[in-house]
Amino acid sequence: MNEIEDDRPLPARDAPLRALWRGAVDGWAAPGALERLPAARRLLDAGADRDDLTLLARAVAYEAVFTTLEELDRARPAAGLHEDLLTADPSGRDGQDLWQ
């Protein structure tokens, strides 16, 4: 994980978005994360590429977080959190690696 450390103060809405990104999206890149799921462990044992599985898990996590934020935004129309989720990517790539 190539994380860009940024010491600038974050607007109030950025902190929870970054926490969601680190926990839900990038959490799948942590050592042993895939092995916690029996289905992923079986795929790895069958020869699946770890990087591809990690990318899949991260992309699915992103979609789940995005959809959740979108639904929350519908309940509070001015929030727009789902629109800013990609900017929470600490790598500075705005999630581009998820769609390669």
Side-chain angles (χ1 to χ4, degrees), residues 13 16-17 19-21 24-25 57-75 79-89 94-95 98-99:
R13 65 190 279 127
L17 290 175
L20 285 167
W21 190 281
V25 179
R58 291 180 66 234
V60 169
Y62 169 83
E63 291 293 340
V65 170
F66 181 88
T67 300
T68 300
L69 292 175
E70 190 174 40
E71 290 301 318
L72 290 172
D73 288 344
R74 285 191 182 126
L81 286 173
H82 71 284
E83 296 169 352
D84 292 334
L85 181 58
L86 286 173
T87 66
D89 181 357
D94 293 335
L98 299 179
W99 319 120

Side-chain angles (χ1 to χ4, degrees), residues 1-95:
M1 215 176 334
N2 294 329
E3 200 170 294
I4 296 175
E5 292 299 323
D6 191 346
D7 293 330
R8 293 177 294 172
L10 298 173
R13 65 190 279 127
D14 287 356
L17 290 175
R18 288 199 181 174
L20 285 167
W21 190 281
R22 285 185 178 122
V25 179
D26 282 345
W28 289 106
L34 290 175
E35 287 78 6
R36 291 185 315 210
L37 296 175
R41 194 172 41 247
R42 287 191 299 273
L43 289 168
L44 289 168
D45 290 346
D49 182 81
R50 175 177 295 281
D51 291 340
D52 284 344
L53 283 178
T54 299
L55 185 58
L56 174 65
R58 291 180 66 234
V60 169
Y62 169 83
E63 291 293 340
V65 170
F66 181 88
T67 300
T68 300
L69 292 175
E70 190 174 40
E71 290 301 318
L72 290 172
D73 288 344
R74 285 191 182 126
R76 271 186 89 163
L81 286 173
H82 71 284
E83 296 169 352
D84 292 334
L85 181 58
L86 286 173
T87 66
D89 181 357
S91 72
R93 295 185 305 257
D94 293 335

